[in-house]
Amino acid sequence: MEPPKERVKFIQTDLVLPYHYYAGDYKALYLRALKDKKILGSKCSATGKVFVPPLMSSPDAHAPCEEIVELPDKGIVTTFCVVNVPVYGRDIELPYVVASVALDGADVSIYGLVQECKAEDVEMGTRVQAVWKPDGERQGDHTDIKYFKPTGEPKAPLESFIHRL
Amino acid sequence: MKAPTSVEPMSQRMTVQFPYKRSTGEVTGRFLAGLKEQKKIWGRRIAGQGVVVPPNSYSEVDAKSGGEWVEVKDEGTITAVGIVAKPVADLHPSDASFAYVLVKLDGADTSLAHIVKDRLGELKVGARVKAVWAPDGERKGTIRDIACFQLVG
């Protein structure tokens, strides 16, 4: 005797990973401040570099960053990519632009969408400004900034952001 | 501004899911069909390894393909135990405390990984267990067609 010739062809093995994520003090401050349309960073006590989202210690100097600073919601597109393929769970008209944005006064970039312009109009150095969710809709999470839009100002020279990608 | 010394904790629950659909292949596919259709556990006699359960299509010793189907008992001896006292819902195969076990089924030379749900305090290497089958009509051709193993006696 043998097992059935007609085999089971597939098995469904769904992997489910339930996380309980704790933001930590600095990330909690950062996210709660978004609700008030404020972007917070932290300043390194040794080098003066400003990190956003705020870090408790700087990764290069290994020094504490005990000072919290508020950053403007304007900055520069440093690097970006044009997305031409649909991504599961993201309902944005193609093509769209995802960019690293160096906020004025920050030494590192944050990620955001760039909208209200054609994808081909986005360049390294394009000046952008955050577009926030309206009052009452902001929840204190990273989606409170809906996207960045070009300000129309002259594009920033490469030297001004090459070290802040 | 100086960073505040006390911040209200912030946390979020989120679930990451990977919905895998896996192709079984010839040997595992027939092993699973045996569980579903026959309520039998099949192994393969493979050169250099003895009777391997669950079966492979090749030898792990010399990588040669082939092997002869051998039915093994749905009863065997525990070779390893790990108790999960506080299972995580949706991640683990049981919502109540359970144990992962390796069972060397009678007639087999390797051990099968499965779970035991009852009398966890009595589990130990060498203990005898028997398969509890999912009822007819509820077996779907997965390893969970054996609902769990249960201590004998």
Side-chain angles (χ1 to χ4, degrees), chain A residues 30-76:
Chain A
Y30 172 79
L31 292 169
R32 289 206 179 96
L34 293 175
K35 203 168 178 174
D36 303 321
K37 289 172 78 166
K38 285 182 181 170
I39 304 173
L40 300 183
S42 67
K43 189 177 254 185
C44 172
S45 56
T47 64
K49 276 191 180 178
V50 172
F51 302 103
V52 57
L55 301 177
M56 295 187 94
S57 63
S58 71
D60 48 3
H62 308 294
C65 305
E66 288 160 323
E67 190 186 341
I68 300 289
V69 293
E70 192 181 330
L71 292 156
D73 65 355
K74 285 182 178 176
I76 302 160

